[in-house]
Amino acid sequence: THALDIGAMSVFLYAMREREHILNMYEIVSGQRMIGSFSRPGGIWRDVPPEFLDKVREFVPYMHEKINDYERLLTGNPIWVDRTQGIGVIEPEDALSMGLTGASLRGSGVNYDIRKAMPYMGYENYEFDVPLGEHGDVFDRYIIRVEEMRQSLRIIQQVLDTLPDGPVRTENRKFAPPPRSELGTSMEAVIHHFKLWTEGFSLPDEEGFVAIESPRGEIGCYLHGTGGNNPRRVHFKTPSIISIQALKHVSPGHMVADLVGIIGSLDFGLGDSDR
């Protein structure tokens, strides 16, 4: 157990180090390390600076090596294997009936990834694999997440190799603010700017639903407009609330100490659930 604690703590500390690299890259593009308001209706806040792309190019091979380090510490560790294999098993039919998504679903061998099933944001242009588990236990969910990190790096490298030049925000001034350079020469731009910041933009009296594949699973957004600037209804479907409910189905029969691995492998966040 002591060897397991040392290995897991080492991986945790290494992951915190890699997290700092990623947060620093966030700060380069948005000015914020945690919650950067970078994506906006109609595009993004501004084009990414050249130093950001240089940092990402440096990070991809660096992170590949660090993932290998994580695996050397844990994947073949007999204590780690003994404490994770056969623990918290979720059968494929149970994963589907509970509504699990993401790595928790794919760890049970169910091949469903929204980026493949319903591609968005250009994912159809990139080659990547969907890792699947065979036993649906804590170990499989761990392996899935390790492999998904590698697939994410694979996608990032393809993006870097094919990233085009061009505009980064729509020219439609009804829901995207005009650039500052237009405000001094166009009264229409000033009016659009004023109305956007005081009233927002209007949505048609229609409903829409969009789902994306997040690291924890499916995040869906339902939105129903009114024809004005206030929606009739907005609702987010997040993966954590479902993963928490799965605990009562996968925990019986295990030791209290096993709950640590089960909770970690389901990877839910309380802030993601309390909405």
Side-chain angles (χ1 to χ4, degrees), residues 29-275:
V29 293
S30 69
Q32 298 287 336
R33 281 168 50 84
M34 291 294 291
I35 305 174
S37 179
F38 189 67
S39 296
R40 310 284 176 87
I44 56 178
W45 170 43
R46 64 176 184 178
D47 203 351
V48 295
E51 58 266 30
F52 169 75
L53 298 178
D54 294 337
K55 289 290 185 182
V56 176
R57 290 189 179 96
E58 294 173 6
F59 180 76
V60 170
Y62 167 84
M63 189 63 193
H64 268 299
E65 286 302 314
K66 296 308 172 186
I67 295 173
N68 293 336
D69 288 345
Y70 303 160
E71 285 220 85
R72 279 191 285 270
L73 282 166
L74 291 181
T75 303
N77 185 318
I79 303 176
W80 176 265
V81 172
D82 184 59
R83 293 298 304 277
T84 55
Q85 283 190 344
I87 305 297
V89 174
I90 304 176
E91 298 295 338
E93 57 274 14
D94 293 332
L96 288 168
S97 65
M98 287 186 287
L100 291 173
T101 56
S104 296
L105 178 64
R106 294 188 287 273
S108 297
V110 180
N111 190 351
Y112 181 72
D113 187 313
I114 299 173
R115 297 171 299 176
K116 290 284 191 180
M118 295 175 286
Y120 58 92
M121 298 293 289
Y123 276 111
E124 67 275 10
N125 299 318
Y126 307 118
E127 294 182 2
F128 63 97
D129 300 322
V130 179
L132 299 176
E134 297 180 3
H135 308 100
D137 54 14
V138 170
F139 186 81
D140 273 7
R141 291 192 286 275
Y142 154 72
I143 287 293
I144 293 298
R145 288 184 169 85
V146 171
E147 290 304 315
E148 287 190 346
M149 285 193 288
R150 291 195 172 99
Q151 295 303 316
S152 293
L153 293 175
R154 183 179 172 190
I155 294 171
I156 291 170
Q157 187 60 59
Q158 292 175 73
V159 172
L160 290 172
D161 294 340
T162 59
L163 190 66
D165 293 324
V168 296
R169 189 160 47 183
T170 180
E171 296 295 322
N172 188 333
R173 304 297 183 227
K174 296 295 184 182
F175 60 92
R180 186 178 296 273
S181 58
E182 286 186 16
L183 297 179
T185 59
S186 170
M187 179 54 68
E188 185 180 30
V190 174
I191 293 171
H192 282 311
H193 187 275
F194 177 78
K195 289 180 70 66
L196 277 172
W197 296 130
T198 56
E199 300 176 7
F201 52 85
S202 299
L203 295 175
D205 190 1
E206 299 173 1
E207 60 182 354
F209 178 82
V210 174
I212 66 166
E213 189 73 39
S214 81
R216 287 193 167 105
E218 178 182 321
I219 294 180
C221 177
Y222 171 82
L223 179 64
H224 196 158
T226 60
N229 57 4
N230 290 314
R232 179 170 285 112
R233 186 169 184 233
V234 177
H235 181 74
F236 286 90
K237 172 188 178 292
T238 61
S240 290
I241 187 70
I242 298 171
S243 298
I244 289 176
Q245 295 176 74
L247 272 178
K248 64 180 180 181
H249 298 285
V250 301
S251 300
H254 293 299
M255 298 185 296
V256 172
D258 293 328
L259 283 174
V260 177
I262 293 172
I263 291 172
S265 69
L266 290 173
D267 188 29
F268 52 78
L270 297 181
D272 187 29
S273 305
D274 185 14
R275 290 167 291 117

